[in-house]
Amino acid sequence: MREVFPEGARVGVLTAQPLGRVLDYLAPEGGCGLGDYVEVPLGPRRVMGVVWGPGEGGFDAAKLRRVGRVLDAQPMRDEMRAFLTRAADYTLTPLSLMLRLATRTPGLGEAPGALRVYRRGEGQPDRMTPPRARVLEVLEAFGGLSFTLSELAAEAGVSAGVVKGLVPSGAVLEEDLPRDRPYPRLDPARPGKALAEDQAAAAQALCAGIASGGYGTTLLKGVTGSGKTEVYLEAVAACLRQGRQALVLLPEIALTAEFLTRVEARFGARPAEWHSGVTSVERRRLWRMAGEGAAQLVVGARSALFLPFQDLGLIVVDEEHDSSYKQEEGVLYNARDMAVLRASLCSAQVVLASATPSLESWANADAGKYARLDLAARFGTATLPEMAAIDMRAEDTAPGRWISPALEAEVRARLGASRQSLLFLNRRGYAPLTVCRACGHMIGCDHCDARMVEHRFQQRLVCHQCGETKPIPETCPSCGVAGKLAPVGPGVERLAEEAVALFPEARVAVLSSDLFGSARALKAQIEAIAGGEADIIIGTQLVAKGHNFPLLTLVGVIDADLGLQGSDLRAAERTFQLMRQVAGRAGRGSERGLALLQTYQPEHPVIRAILTGDEEGFWRAEAEERRAAGVPPYGRMAGIILSAPEAKPAFDLGTWLARNDGALRRVGAQVFGPAPAPVARIRGRHRVRLLVKAPKGVPLQAAIAEWVAPVKLPPNLRLAVDIDPQSF
Ligand code: ADP
Ligand code: ZN
């Protein structure tokens, strides 16, 4: 039974304010219960909070303020409060910021009918003004979507009055929030595809986990095209048949469209979607429906983990190794790890699916913490591509060209046979560097420690850290000499130029995230390519993920050495994963594919492992190195990022922390640094990093909390803790 507090009782309420904590209030008229969403006075404002427990006491009851009202929303479940608390402890994030992740939906708790939404009507305004025109433009641009008053006004940059003024003429319709429009039912009884033997065995193991009703994590490993998706859809079906909810996380919004279509074909209806491309009206609907148990299956980005599911029975993390599961701004968390935490608290199963698992998951499976299921072969007649290196030292590639004669010949052969080739280069834009040939100056971003990248399509220089752009200057900003600025090195746009010059008869398509204004445009392009409307596809890592191009039989990696430079201990793992994924794009149809890696170091152990496909050997060697270095997954790491408009105060604080590290040393942890962070300056802020390394099993979070507790941050200095950093 939920704990209930009668009117006037002390309750502790957690608010989602930046420095919020649990504060005492008095229960309102009619009382309130544990987990209730409430509105409370805070200073001069009224803010949303959650009843977190009984009050602490200690304050004069006469001075306590009263809870304003209980909002009309499903109370937060114990499981969710435990999840937020544990996640906050793990990531060393204030609980209030965790609550914020879980309540990031506007109008939460509003009664049906209390919220009104606005959309385009048939009528014309009696009088047109520029602000009115902007409102109508926004509504046209978003088709049939509905907005709340404040959303629409904010989107159009006008006052609420302007929107209201358009209602009488019928140009804008004002309606009650369509809150209770239910989702179409998915039918988990519909039969799926007839599974191959190893698929059936894997599906059966996952379904047994679902049937147990308890927690468990399984690593589902299989090359791209082996049929992992079909397998975990069986687990989704089993979960839905039990009447529990399922969540599928995908690393990239661009992948959702294809997935939704597949789910529809399997279960007869589309699942609910949750990501940044979904309107806030839809998000609010899903937030409520998830809480009422009415959203059976949710497909979404990492933040979907914080939805208030009524009874979550399964979380699938597809492409679990993908680095986009790590949120690098605001609350720093890895959605893969948080999925495991959440599932362990609500007795759910987790499926981590990947062709190239993270070393973390591989090690957890190796240690028996996760179950492991392997799909050995590609489904049906498709086989893995043949892999080979092109030794660039032996190739006579013209200066300023990046496609070697050997690769050129293979592409040409495909053109003759109406087959597609993919040229992979993980660099957006035209050229990574713009250099003055008079003085050697390289054009950098004014706000970041990064070079500006020429984007010829946009005819601008772009900073890939902060997005700042500027025109390509005529004269060198350093020496003032005109006409000497030159692009150096290849990006996908430049590679496309080379391909067009080499193969004038071919249709060349470029797939790079910055070339598409919307997910829809990208999807259309992917479909066109799959349908055979291109001969040569030039792509960044966007193409590495999950797309199926049946006519593609050749993958050429332009620079296989690109990711191996630098001192990052994860570089080998990342390169291995990326290269295997990209190679997996070749030959998904009935013909065998070929993947060619252009490299200057064909005997490098990572390149060798990619070519031979000896994955277990690669993981074991990698694991040994990490174990010897005492780094994850065999040791623990945390980064402390200090950032400020000037570098000096950040360095000074870093130095002070490094000297006063008693709290760390007591638990056997070591601190390294301060040093410039991997990205040393972003948006005008200098970033300095300390790295903390500790043996497994030490109370690292507690030690770090104690260590940084004495720090009094001046207004401009920020300190962020990054548990399990991506690079070290
Ligand atoms: P993965 O998720 O491992 O990349 P998919 O599940 O997407 O693999 O399967 C690859 C292709 O093979 C898809 O087009 C899928 O529809 C097809 N496929 C997989 N399993 C089966 C099956 N048992 N019967 C028919 N087609 C299947
Ligand atoms: Zn920048």
Side-chain angles (χ1 to χ4, degrees), residues 459-472:
Q459 299 197 334
R460 290 182 86 77
L461 297 171
V462 179
C463 170
H464 286 182
Q465 293 300 344
C466 72
E468 175 85 359
T469 73
K470 55 185 172 194
I472 303 167

Side-chain angles (χ1 to χ4, degrees), residues 564-602:
L564 292 174
Q565 295 139 11
S567 57
D568 190 339
L569 277 167
R570 270 198 227 266
E573 177 186 353
R574 271 199 216 109
T575 302
F576 183 82
Q577 287 161 343
L578 187 58
M579 294 297 118
R580 298 289 305 177
Q581 294 254 297
V582 174
R585 299 296 116 216
R588 296 197 72 180
S590 52
E591 290 165 57
R592 178 129 200 237
L594 172 65
L596 294 172
L597 272 56
Q598 296 194 150
T599 172
Y600 284 91
Q601 39 185 347

Side-chain angles (χ1 to χ4, degrees), residues 220-449:
L220 177 61
K221 185 180 169 313
V223 296
T224 36
S226 59
K228 296 184 294 298
T229 310
E230 292 305 327
V231 170
Y232 72 63
L233 285 178
E234 287 303 310
V236 169
C239 176
L240 299 190
R241 281 197 293 269
Q242 283 200 341
R244 300 183 77 185
Q245 294 165 286
L247 168 65
V248 174
L249 297 180
L250 299 175
E252 178 96 44
I253 300 181
L255 294 176
T256 37
E258 192 181 330
F259 185 77
L260 295 179
T261 311
R262 240 171 123 165
V263 170
E264 190 170 6
R266 174 74 172 79
F267 298 119
R270 286 169 93 75
E273 253 181 285
W274 177 274
H275 52 71
S276 59
V278 173
T279 67
S280 41
V281 174
E282 272 305 309
R283 284 212 298 274
R284 182 174 29 241
R285 171 176 170 223
L286 176 51
W287 195 88
R288 297 189 72 104
M289 291 289 192
E292 289 165 12
Q296 295 162 284
L297 171 61
V298 177
V299 177
R302 58 186 177 222
S303 55
L305 267 182
F306 292 89
L307 282 168
F309 291 99
Q310 184 179 63
D311 185 12
L312 187 59
L314 171 67
I315 306 175
V316 176
V317 185
D318 203 355
E319 310 283 358
E320 67 90 31
H321 63 278
D322 200 287
S323 57
S324 61
Y325 282 121
K326 177 71 187 280
Q327 170 145 317
E328 296 284 11
E329 271 183 83
V331 179
L332 309 177
Y333 69 94
N334 189 320
R336 176 196 62 218
D337 301 337
M338 290 300 128
V340 172
L341 173 62
R342 176 138 201 203
S344 70
L345 294 168
C346 67
S347 300
Q349 292 285 312
V350 180
V351 175
L352 306 176
S354 176
T356 53
S358 60
L359 191 61
E360 274 79 0
S361 297
W362 180 87
N364 277 325
D366 199 46
K369 276 212 252 168
Y370 298 169
R372 174 169 162 179
L373 296 168
D374 283 56
L375 297 180
R378 282 197 159 176
F379 178 76
T381 52
T383 46
L384 276 177
E386 182 187 337
M387 310 252 298
I390 294 177
D391 186 345
M392 293 301 277
R393 295 167 305 188
E395 288 287 315
D396 190 15
T397 313
R401 299 263 183 201
W402 288 274
I403 299 172
S404 65
L407 182 55
E408 181 189 336
E410 291 292 344
V411 173
R412 216 171 276 294
R414 299 297 179 297
L415 286 176
S418 301
R419 290 292 177 269
Q420 294 173 321
S421 303
L422 166 69
L423 301 181
F424 176 78
L425 177 63
N426 203 12
R427 263 185 180 155
R428 291 182 286 133
Y430 185 79
L433 292 177
T434 301
V435 178
C436 173
R437 279 175 298 162
C439 73
H441 176 76
M442 298 181 207
I443 299 187
C445 175
D446 298 336
H447 316 285
C448 305
D449 179 24

Side-chain angles (χ1 to χ4, degrees), residues 517-695:
S518 65
R520 200 182 307 155
L522 176 62
K523 185 183 166 231
Q525 172 76 307
I526 288 172
E527 279 170 4
I529 292 174
E533 287 175 31
D535 304 309
I536 300 176
I537 303 143
I538 310 242
T540 58
Q541 65 172 359
L542 188 66
V543 296
K545 296 177 188 172
H547 308 294
N548 201 346
F549 300 133
L551 294 174
L552 183 72
T553 59
L554 172 68
V555 168
V557 176
I558 296 299
D559 185 354
D561 309 330
L562 192 59
L564 292 174
Q565 295 139 11
S567 57
D568 190 339
L569 277 167
R570 270 198 227 266
E573 177 186 353
R574 271 199 216 109
T575 302
F576 183 82
Q577 287 161 343
L578 187 58
M579 294 297 118
R580 298 289 305 177
Q581 294 254 297
V582 174
R585 299 296 116 216
R588 296 197 72 180
S590 52
E591 290 165 57
R592 178 129 200 237
L594 172 65
L596 294 172
L597 272 56
Q598 296 194 150
T599 172
Y600 284 91
Q601 39 185 347
E603 57 296 310
H604 190 291
V606 175
I607 302 284
R608 298 262 12 113
I610 294 166
L611 292 176
T612 59
D614 176 16
E615 296 183 45
E616 294 300 319
F618 172 76
W619 294 128
R620 296 225 173 269
E622 202 40 34
E624 273 327 303
E625 264 183 45
R626 301 265 188 102
R627 207 192 301 271
V631 298
Y634 303 98
R636 304 205 54 197
M637 299 278 280
I640 310 291
I641 306 264
L642 305 166
S643 69
E646 304 292 331
K648 188 166 184 307
F651 262 105
D652 288 349
L653 175 58
T655 308
W656 186 87
L657 279 168
R659 291 209 184 111
N660 296 276
D661 63 344
L664 296 180
R665 271 187 287 119
R666 270 195 292 284
V667 298
Q670 276 174 288
V671 58
F672 300 90
V679 182
R681 197 159 68 106
I682 302 183
R683 295 186 191 91
R685 292 183 75 84
H686 291 266
R687 289 151 51 90
V688 167
R689 185 168 81 161
L690 293 156
L691 268 181
V692 178
K693 198 172 109 179

Side-chain angles (χ1 to χ4, degrees), residues 436-439 473-485:
C436 173
R437 279 175 298 162
C439 73
E474 291 284 316
T475 58
C476 172
S478 177
C479 70
V481 173
K484 286 287 182 188
L485 288 170

